[in-house]
């Protein structure tokens, strides 16, 4: 989801189950997925609401899930050649088959069912915010980072492109428009520098 307003963050979610021979008894199955937030500007209340929603879901199933999957998201969504993350993370897990599949399914379903609660209030809050062309340009540059991550590092995208998948479906999560500027530098003390520092130094948002 890529809103038009620069103050309404992008959100991505995906939950999946792989079973290679229709059996959960031989280890050839796993669950994976996650939900993450990619703002262009820092709003602490928004990020705490988003992370708090998923911490609540995780804690319902296992108190070890949120810190583990939050840290996993921070690692996974790292744009290594930029030294920054795609956004402010959320939760991410993959290759999960270490417990009863019905238990993992219930957790994954609760995560999926919490997308609206975690995200829609943030969009409702910001969809009509006023913004300048400079702020729109910054959003478009951050969308460029989103594209870089997806095409270079995202496991699902790279796997699909290497194995002859349906290109239109594989690339449908990319933003409609994006922007790059050669050797762009943010202004010292600006809101753009504030959020960039977060991308370069992931932090904990909820206790």
């Amino acid at each position: 989801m890529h809103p038009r307003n620069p103050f309404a963050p992008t959100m991505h979610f995906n939950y999946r189950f792989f079973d290679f021979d229709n059996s959960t008894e031989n280890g050839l199955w796993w669950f994976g997925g996650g939900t993450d937030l990619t703002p262009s500007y820092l709003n602490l209340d928004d990020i705490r609401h988003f992370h708090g929603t998923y911490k609540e879901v995780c804690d319902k199933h296992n108190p070890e899930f949120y810190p583990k999957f939050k840290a996993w998201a921070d690692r996974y969504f790292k744009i290594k050649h930029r030294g920054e993350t795609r956004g402010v993370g959320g939760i991410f897990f993959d290759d999960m088959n270490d417990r009863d599949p019905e238990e993992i399914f219930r957790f994954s379903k609760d995560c999926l069912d919490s997308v609206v609660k975690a995200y829609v209030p943030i969009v409702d809050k910001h969809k009509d915010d006023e913004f300048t062309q400079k702020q729109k340009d910054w959003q478009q540059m951050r969308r460029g980072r989103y594209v870089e991550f997806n095409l270079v590092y995202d496991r699902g995208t790279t796997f699909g492109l290497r194995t002859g998948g349906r290109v239109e479906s594989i690339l449908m999560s990319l933003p409609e428009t994006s922007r790059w500027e050669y050797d762009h530098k943010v202004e010292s003390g600006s809101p753009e520098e504030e959020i960039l520092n977060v991308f370069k130094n992931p932090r904990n948002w909820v206790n």
Side-chain angles (χ1 to χ4, degrees):
M1 180 76 70
H2 299 282
R4 297 186 185 279
N5 194 299
F7 295 105
T10 287
M11 183 275 301
H12 160 266
F13 71 94
N14 178 287
Y15 294 92
R16 53 198 177 270
F17 171 65
F18 290 93
D19 186 350
F20 282 87
D21 61 358
N22 198 32
S23 172
T24 58
E25 298 177 0
N26 56 17
L28 293 177
W29 62 273
W30 68 85
F31 287 83
T35 310
D36 66 286
L37 194 70
T38 304
S40 298
Y41 289 93
L42 184 64
N43 184 299
L44 294 177
D45 289 340
D46 294 347
I47 300 171
R48 287 168 180 159
H49 165 76
F50 183 85
H51 275 268
T53 300
Y54 276 96
K55 182 179 187 301
E56 182 178 324
V57 175
C58 289
D59 288 351
K60 173 183 172 183
H61 291 267
N62 189 317
E64 296 181 356
F65 279 179
Y66 177 75
K68 179 180 180 180
F69 297 155
K70 190 270 184 191
W72 199 337
D74 289 340
R75 294 192 304 271
Y76 179 77
F77 292 108
K78 182 77 173 287
I79 308 172
K80 299 179 181 67
H81 61 275
R82 296 286 189 181
E84 60 192 58
T85 56
R86 187 173 79 175
V88 296
I91 61 168
F92 180 83
F93 61 95
D94 209 358
D95 304 321
M96 190 174 181
N97 64 356
D98 61 343
R99 61 200 71 210
D100 185 278
E102 289 298 326
E103 181 181 346
I104 308 174
F105 173 75
R106 287 192 293 272
F107 169 64
S108 300
K109 184 177 184 300
D110 280 351
C111 289
L112 178 62
D113 290 343
S114 297
V115 168
V116 170
K117 177 182 177 182
Y119 181 60
V120 170
I122 299 174
V123 176
D124 284 342
K125 178 180 173 183
H126 295 292
K127 62 184 177 65
D128 297 318
D129 287 358
E130 294 184 1
F131 59 88
T132 66
Q133 185 59 48
K134 178 182 176 181
Q135 290 163 336
K136 184 66 177 179
D137 289 346
W138 172 248
Q139 179 202 47
Q140 293 297 294
M141 282 188 277
R142 293 313 307 175
R143 296 268 168 93
R145 297 293 199 268
Y146 197 99
V147 171
E148 290 178 28
F149 172 82
N150 277 34
L151 295 182
V152 178
Y153 300 111
D154 182 73
R155 290 179 63 179
T157 301
T158 56
F159 175 80
L161 294 176
R162 285 198 301 264
T163 56
R166 186 173 182 272
V167 174
E168 296 300 323
S169 298
I170 295 167
L171 299 182
M172 67 182 300
S173 66
L174 295 178
E176 181 182 17
T177 59
S178 54
R179 177 186 179 97
W180 285 263
E181 290 187 12
Y182 181 77
D183 196 27
H184 179 266
K185 298 289 192 301
V186 295
E187 296 178 14
S188 178
S190 67
E192 292 80 15
E193 183 186 54
E194 181 181 39
I195 191 72
L196 187 59
N197 286 337
V198 171
F199 298 148
K200 291 179 178 293
N201 302 284
R203 65 179 71 169
N204 292 322
W205 302 104
V206 293
N207 297 321

